[in-house]
Amino acid sequence: MQILVTGGAGYIGCHTVLELLNAGFEVVVVDNLSNSKETALQRVAQLTGKPFAFYKIDVRDGAALNMVFDEHEIDAVIHLAGLKAIDASLEMPLEYYDNNLNSTLRLCEVMQHHNVKKLVFSSSAAVYGTPSMVPITEAFPRAATSPYGMTKLVIEDILQDLYRSDDGWEISLLRYFNPVGAHPSGLIGEDSNETPNSLLPYIAQVALGKLPKVRVFGADYDTPDGTCLRDYIHVVDLAQGHLAALRGLRLGVEAYNLGTGNGYSVLDVIAAFAKASGQPVPYDIVARRPADVAACYANADKAKRDLKWTARYGLAEICEDAWRWQYNNPNGYETHTIPVKKLENA
Ligand code: UD1
């Protein structure tokens, strides 16, 4: 079976490509490398020992995409290409709408043209906005608080309309919670060359000494320790969730939460990371970050029931793997030599 992965060089993409190759799928990657590096794909090839096709293409370029479908017998598509930073989406909404919506429209047109109607789409827990309670099930009302979240919500609706127009489509909407960690090899992970916005990569850079302190955004929330609760899911679990979704595709449109079902606080994560790395992780409590919700974690029963998928890695493994990646690649994929460190507790 030949799978097209859009955004396959990105953080979630390269982990997904690796799992697909290891499971015996043939893979074709398209990525415009706007927020990713080809090195990630070279390392996937190194880790799997399996070749795959790569095209440096923007998914909005329908003609280029059409050529890829002409050249390969694509059976299904995992669509991960898109812009994903919540803050940036507030500053550049038009770029976000253009990128995320037009890429999906072009992709679906080309798929339709080639009679390929199996699609796994990368959605987000951001479609739940501020949930009225936790854990969150797929039946919760959707409401985005950022243009990023809105692009995911609108694309979900577009895909529903597509199915309504043609009931030959098989579509999964994967609502990710907080993807973190790295492949246990330490060779691929979230590229952290710039100062990160997300918690885990930020903590990792503090542990490494590249940043002085973690800023904990608010300790006055209505949660056990006052800091926000999130559902941190290991990127390898998430990648395997894509394979489960692919195998579980059936006629219609189904949404699945991909999370662990556990809510950890910011202070829990800091403590777990300090333990996993053996490094101090100093922090200051600062003001709340705008638009943060107090608690956001999944009820992931539907994926377990329908896709036979469940997250296997816990917070300790997440931190160990994130640390191995960060330590071995202090400047992300720009790092030229890789001193492979064996962690004492690994
Ligand atoms: C959001 C999205 C998630 C997406 C992620 C990365 C929602 C519901 N979730 O997660 O789908 O994968 O962005 O784009 O929209 N924090 C600090 N200090 C820091 C950084 C973060 O205290 O330096 C805290 C935040 O206040 C939050 C938690 O850590 O409580 C996690 O933040 P972050 O990693 O940025 O992800 P989310 O905003 O939860």
Side-chain angles (χ1 to χ4, degrees), residues 124 177-179 197-199 215-217 228 230 232 289 292:
S124 169
F177 281 69
N178 288 56
N197 294 318
S198 308
L199 182 63
R215 296 161 305 153
V216 176
F217 296 136
C228 294
R230 293 287 183 278
Y232 296 95
R289 186 173 67 175
D292 268 341

Side-chain angles (χ1 to χ4, degrees), residues 57-172:
I57 281 175
D58 191 305
V59 183
R60 287 171 294 182
D61 183 347
L65 199 59
N66 203 50
M67 273 174 46
V68 175
F69 277 77
D70 282 341
E71 283 174 27
H72 299 271
E73 287 287 321
I74 304 292
D75 296 294
V77 178
I78 299 181
H79 178 36
L80 309 171
L83 299 177
K84 62 171 186 181
I86 289 172
D87 288 0
S89 79
L90 289 159
E91 285 159 26
M92 303 180 287
L94 298 181
E95 205 168 325
Y96 269 67
Y97 284 112
D98 172 35
N99 206 303
N100 293 3
L101 296 187
N102 283 323
S103 62
T104 307
L105 293 172
R106 290 300 84 74
L107 173 66
C108 291
E109 285 161 7
V110 174
M111 287 177 72
Q112 201 165 40
H113 180 68
H114 289 265
N115 204 29
V116 178
K117 295 180 181 174
K118 294 177 195 293
L119 176 64
V120 174
F121 172 62
S122 152
S123 187
S124 169
V127 300
Y128 296 118
T130 306
S132 57
M133 56 179 283
V134 280
I136 300 167
T137 73
E138 290 83 357
F140 272 37
R142 295 172 314 147
T145 56
S146 68
Y148 161 75
M150 191 54 85
T151 64
K152 297 292 182 185
L153 195 154
V154 171
I155 292 168
E156 287 194 354
D157 288 347
I158 290 171
L159 296 176
Q160 288 281 1
D161 285 343
L162 186 58
Y163 173 70
R164 228 172 275 144
S165 74
D166 173 356
D167 61 10
W169 282 85
E170 302 174 35
I171 299 174
S172 267

Side-chain angles (χ1 to χ4, degrees), residues 17-329:
V17 171
L18 185 147
E19 295 298 326
L20 286 167
L21 291 169
N22 281 341
F25 289 96
E26 286 177 61
V27 177
V28 177
V29 171
V30 303
D31 198 304
N32 66 4
L33 301 180
S34 69
N35 187 31
S36 57
K37 303 261 167 31
E38 207 171 333
T39 316
L41 294 175
Q42 288 159 2
R43 293 192 184 174
V44 168
Q46 180 188 336
L47 281 164
T48 60
K50 294 185 181 171
F52 57 91
F54 167 58
Y55 296 85
K56 184 173 180 291
I57 281 175
D58 191 305
V59 183
R60 287 171 294 182
D61 183 347
L65 199 59
N66 203 50
M67 273 174 46
V68 175
F69 277 77
D70 282 341
E71 283 174 27
H72 299 271
E73 287 287 321
I74 304 292
D75 296 294
V77 178
I78 299 181
H79 178 36
L80 309 171
L83 299 177
K84 62 171 186 181
I86 289 172
D87 288 0
S89 79
L90 289 159
E91 285 159 26
M92 303 180 287
L94 298 181
E95 205 168 325
Y96 269 67
Y97 284 112
D98 172 35
N99 206 303
N100 293 3
L101 296 187
N102 283 323
S103 62
T104 307
L105 293 172
R106 290 300 84 74
L107 173 66
C108 291
E109 285 161 7
V110 174
M111 287 177 72
Q112 201 165 40
H113 180 68
H114 289 265
N115 204 29
V116 178
K117 295 180 181 174
K118 294 177 195 293
L119 176 64
V120 174
F121 172 62
S122 152
S123 187
S124 169
V127 300
Y128 296 118
T130 306
S132 57
M133 56 179 283
V134 280
I136 300 167
T137 73
E138 290 83 357
F140 272 37
R142 295 172 314 147
T145 56
S146 68
Y148 161 75
M150 191 54 85
T151 64
K152 297 292 182 185
L153 195 154
V154 171
I155 292 168
E156 287 194 354
D157 288 347
I158 290 171
L159 296 176
Q160 288 281 1
D161 285 343
L162 186 58
Y163 173 70
R164 228 172 275 144
S165 74
D166 173 356
D167 61 10
W169 282 85
E170 302 174 35
I171 299 174
S172 267
L173 313 173
L174 301 185
R175 296 177 181 161
Y176 310 154
F177 281 69
N178 288 56
V180 286
H183 190 263
S185 63
L187 283 176
I188 55 172
E190 191 166 9
D191 197 347
S192 46
N193 207 18
E194 290 168 12
T195 302
N197 294 318
S198 308
L199 182 63
L200 244 292
Y202 200 101
I203 291 176
Q205 294 206 5
V206 171
L208 199 65
K210 282 184 81 177
L211 293 169
K213 274 184 181 183
V214 180
R215 296 161 305 153
V216 176
F217 296 136
D220 57 351
Y221 286 96
D222 185 15
T223 59
D225 67 15
T227 66
C228 294
L229 301 178
R230 293 287 183 278
D231 189 335
Y232 296 95
I233 174 170
H234 197 297
V235 66
V236 171
D237 277 331
L238 192 69
Q240 288 171 354
H242 289 74
L243 272 68
L246 194 61
R247 291 180 171 125
L249 278 173
R250 64 198 68 165
L251 292 173
V253 182
E254 284 296 336
Y256 296 101
N257 286 341
L258 294 188
T260 67
N262 299 311
Y264 286 108
S265 76
V266 179
L267 298 183
D268 290 336
V269 180
I270 290 175
F273 204 95
K275 186 161 181 230
S277 63
Q279 304 298 316
V281 180
Y283 65 87
D284 281 331
I285 310 276
V286 301
R288 289 182 178 196
R289 186 173 67 175
D292 268 341
V293 303
C296 177
Y297 54 92
N299 173 322
D301 290 351
K302 185 177 175 190
K304 187 174 180 183
R305 191 188 63 227
D306 293 359
L307 304 178
K308 313 287 175 255
W309 172 90
T310 187
R312 293 179 305 149
Y313 294 103
L315 188 56
E317 289 148 318
I318 283 171
C319 292
E320 282 162 20
D321 291 339
W323 174 239
R324 189 181 297 103
W325 157 255
Q326 177 67 77
Y327 187 89
N328 289 334
N329 306 269

